[in-house]
Amino acid sequence: MSGAELLALLPVLILALGATGLLMVGAWWPRRQPLLLSGVVLALLAALVAGAVPPPVPEISGMFGAGPYARFFTILWSLLAALVLMLSDRYGDARRFPAGEYPTLVLFAAAGMALLSAATSLVGLLIGLESFTLVLYILIAIDKTSARGTEAGLKYLIMGIVATGFLGFGIALIYAATGSFHFPEIHAALVRQDGSAALSLLGWAMLLTAIGFKVSLVPFHLWTPDVYQGAPAPVTALLSTGSKGAVFAALVGLLFGIGDNLASLIPVLWALAAASLVVGTFCALRQDNIKRMLAYSSITHMGYTLTALLAWGETGREAVIFYLVVYTAANIGAFGVLTAFAIQGEEPQNYRDLRGLGYHHPRRSSALAFFLLSLAGIPPTAGFIAKFNVFHAALQAGYTGLALLGILASLVSLYYYLRPVIVMFLARERDLCLSPGSSGEHAVVVVCLFLALLLGIYPTPLYALIGLILP
Amino acid sequence: MTTFPVLTTLLLLPLLGTALCLLFRRQADLCREIALAVTLVILGFSIWCFTFPAAADGWILSESYRWIPRLGARLTLEMDGLSLLLVALTAFLQVIAVLISWHQKKHPAFFYALLLLMECGILGVFLATDLLLFYLFWEMMLIPMFFLIGIWGHGRRVYAAVKFFLFTLAGSLLMLLAIIGLYLLHGRQTGDYSFALEALKATDCGGLEPWLYAGFMLGFLIKVPVIPFHTWLPDAHTVAPAAGSLDLAGLLLKTGVFGILRFAFPLFPAAAAASLPLLATLALVGLFYGAWCAYVQNDVKRLIAYSSVSHLGVTMLGLASANVPAMEGAILLMLCHGVTTGALFALVSMLRRRTGTRDLDRLGGLWKEAPVFSCFFLFFALASLGLPGLANFSGEFLVFVGAFRTVPLWGALAVAGVVFAAAYTLRMVQGSLWGERPTRGRPWPDLTALEVIALAPLVLFTLWLGLYPETFLAPLHQPVRLLLEQAAPLVAVNGGMP
């Protein structure tokens, strides 16, 4: 690896090396707050470097891109890590998260996500994906006092290993069929279709299965609700946004330029999207626990993202990226509020715990309501424009059926997104005073609120940015 | 025309009011005053709009700014005679809504903030001529109403609020698909991707036209509401607080009719022309069914809610008749219905505050105990029934004339509907005002000065609309003529321009 390539990798290096440093310091000087703060600073620094230092080479070792697209996601996931760390201050204190390890793991996760989003080869894809899922296994189970957390970690581990198996096998088959790991060469080989189409198709199917597990598309979604519920709220925030968004970002890179060469995949993707929309929606409807509801609804959101991806073309890819950003903001915001509500021994998760919170904690409850409305896609929230893009792309590409299904899912989704709002504001009040929340948590909620509102009424800056980075 | 951005100001003022109410949420009195001041200023602005002359293309005021260039969406606000009247009605009724909620004790700041936010949404719906912007406002007015019903309603408020939200959203989401479909069609044909109403009118929809039209109409008909999409209305009305019912009946229902006039008919004239008989049938069914349901209700508020379904049936018949008098009558009737039914809802809320009931079986003898209240109630009930000289008569009369001109049978049936209106209105008045009170107790107090002040302007407008409707018809002549000219097939169905 040349010096230029190392320089191009600098933001990820800051995250990874910084995290290692924090781990060492944590071993000798286990003070939670300063270490968390250093983690936030490192993540922000990585984001700043990714934005300010132009990469000297377009690609790193033929594995990761260093172009604007890769940089955009490096910034996004670094900021996500910073937000998650800011959320973890009081929450981590109450649950005695290990001082050094926790921020280290979050930063590692961000580095892994950044690498995954930037992957330009199947090896890069594997490295990126594994480097952050490995971290997530630990993060999910980091609250050692919680039996649910341990169980969730174990579940995610087992599912993750299966997915890795599929991924490795799929990569091997695609390599066997095309003779390369590098995306552009794979595409070129596909165009030639030199007698190994069946092998390659099997490889793609395995790859898609692994990805289905990672982003919890139906029917690979069964782990999602348990893991979401069991993981600590800030970790769930990371899990539900970054880990899925990074995979989709990689998918956009992977499938870009594939054109009609994999037309046989389209029905499969269509079915995955449709099933995710339907099953996610109807399962979310039945939940009494807000984290489980968000878990199932995330399956629906992945269905929307896949719909946009299917629509392909510039509009489709633009819709995917827009959706990921907006979904990340709203989801982090929602989990941010849940984190802020959580106190020692009680994390209000069931709807009955939220009763009347709208009057005891009007600002945070209103924020949660706003995030839920954004996830539901009601104007003037950013979620509306994001869904609009998806439907726009789907109709443009001729997927009217999928668009109609999306509309129906959207309508039903309203019911489960409104339920917490109803419980908070419309149900009879209950005397429940939770902690006032820390400044870090409030800052995260404000940032997400700002994004969810601004992108709803004035999305132009994000469109412009996406226009610049689109591969 | 003025260079001052009147229309933008009209939308920003309520938002400012919302922000102020939330900011000073601990000072209930201040919030009330802010709400009143803001609504009065908005009313002032909307009256000022009457002083501007209309251009040849019908627009009195128009403003357009960049919004989302990537999608071709612009922040286009335009006002013609039709929107002018509805904007004025909105501004006027919102002042009344604030006045009749003066006693609001439960979370007053949040209440007024929502009221103002809804005003912004409704004004936006009447002013936006960019379809994406219109949709934004269209959905935006739902959220405050959802909370108004859900938090300040009584009885099965959560059920009613959710039903209201889901019903109206179901329609509008299909409308969204139709909007995107039209946008893509237009873009493919011209290369210019735009949501501007004027541009989209030129789109050749081909075989898709009936589908797109149906998408739009479903959204609007649910809001109107036309049978069989009406079931959300009685529930929502019955439980909503006074200001909520006033806004629902006076304004929200009008957005549906407005949408048909402004968007559905001009965008898809051929499909619209083909649908007129169906619309007329639905309208007539609604007229009779609503009246019948109103007649059998015991709850006064529910009775008035069903009477709205009936009145809106007459309005829809006016649209379906598609000629100048019928359309002008329909729009006039919207205004009249807004004023009279709004007043009746306000009165019923006052009644409930005094008597603790809205049940006709437990009311009676009000004339003796609360004469001022009874006078107002009788006055608005008679106006709602369509007594000549009072508001509804002028609108209904024009609709009947127009309907007779198109299909005499429609007109004849609609006139017969008035008998039904008389039946339920008289039953309501008889049950509440006359006779003896079934239960003894302390006398019911009469209206307070503030309540009289809130109702007096409504009386004035009821008389004005009934005695000299030309004031309100004058701004309509040009827009209605333009609408019928542009939507030529609509007129062709009925044998040319009258």
Side-chain angles (χ1 to χ4, degrees), chain A residues 318 359 396 414 426 457 460, chain B residues 67 70 107 157 165 188:
Chain A
E318 199 178 71
Y359 300 106
Q396 194 170 33
L414 205 73
L426 275 51
I457 46 185
T460 307
Chain B
W67 182 31
R70 169 70 187 80
H107 313 297
R157 57 203 166 95
F165 207 98
R188 270 181 210 145

Side-chain angles (χ1 to χ4, degrees), chain B residues 368-391:
Chain B
K368 278 183 248 166
E369 297 187 23
V372 181
F373 172 88
S374 304
C375 278
F376 276 109
F377 196 69
L378 183 64
F379 177 80
F380 287 116
L382 291 178
S384 163
L385 144 76
L387 199 72
L390 298 180

Side-chain angles (χ1 to χ4, degrees), chain A residues 19 37 75 97 102 123 125 137 149 161 166 174 186-187 234 283 290 321 332 336 341-342 366 403 406 428 435-436 462:
Chain A
L37 195 67
I75 296 174
F97 283 179
Y102 182 77
V123 178
L125 187 92
Y137 301 141
I161 288 168
F166 273 106
I174 293 176
I186 293 173
H187 297 155
C283 289
I290 189 164
I321 301 172
I332 281 281
F341 277 157
S366 308
R428 205 176 304 119
S435 78
L462 186 57

Side-chain angles (χ1 to χ4, degrees), chain B residues 334-397:
Chain B
M334 285 208 287
L335 299 183
C336 300
H337 175 258
V339 173
T340 54
T341 306
L344 280 175
F345 273 123
L347 278 164
V348 171
S349 296
M350 294 170 190
L351 177 72
R352 187 176 179 279
R353 252 208 321 274
R354 285 171 169 72
T355 63
T357 181
R358 296 186 311 241
D359 198 340
L360 277 181
D361 293 337
R362 298 174 59 194
L363 288 168
L366 265 168
W367 191 264
K368 278 183 248 166
E369 297 187 23
V372 181
F373 172 88
S374 304
C375 278
F376 276 109
F377 196 69
L378 183 64
F379 177 80
F380 287 116
L382 291 178
S384 163
L385 144 76
L387 199 72
L390 298 180
N392 286 27
F393 174 75
S394 50
E396 282 178 5
F397 182 78

Side-chain angles (χ1 to χ4, degrees), chain A residues 144-161:
Chain A
K144 290 190 221 70
T145 56
S146 157
R148 236 186 240 286
T150 315
E151 186 193 324
L154 199 64
K155 259 185 195 155
Y156 194 60
L157 176 70
I158 292 168
M159 284 299 175
I161 288 168

Side-chain angles (χ1 to χ4, degrees), chain A residues 377-432:
Chain A
I378 305 286
T381 64
F384 166 67
I385 302 278
K387 273 196 183 151
F388 175 88
N389 287 333
V390 172
F391 297 142
H392 176 195
L395 284 183
Q396 194 170 33
Y399 292 105
T400 315
L402 218 47
L404 269 172
L405 208 59
I407 288 275
L408 285 179
S410 222
L411 185 65
V412 178
S413 84
L414 205 73
Y415 193 78
Y416 58 76
Y417 283 126
L418 277 184
R419 261 186 80 189
V421 179
I422 290 172
V423 173
M424 283 191 299
F425 287 96
L426 275 51
R428 205 176 304 119
E429 292 178 39
R430 184 176 81 135
D431 262 339
L432 176 75

Side-chain angles (χ1 to χ4, degrees), chain A residues 87 90-91 94-95 233-234 290 333-351 353-369 371-372 420 423-425 430 432-438 441-442 445:
Chain A
L87 279 183
R90 196 173 48 84
Y91 193 97
R95 284 166 181 69
I290 189 164
F335 280 107
V337 175
L338 287 183
T339 311
F341 277 157
I343 48 171
Q344 181 75 40
E346 188 181 16
E347 185 175 296
Q349 288 195 7
N350 287 321
Y351 289 156
D353 301 330
L354 299 173
R355 220 171 54 212
L357 280 188
Y359 300 106
H360 292 292
H361 305 283
R363 282 188 228 127
R364 277 178 286 171
S365 307
S366 308
L368 180 58
F371 293 130
L372 290 174
V423 173
M424 283 191 299
F425 287 96
R430 184 176 81 135
L432 176 75
C433 280
L434 299 175
S435 78
S438 71
E441 291 156 358
H442 292 313
V445 172

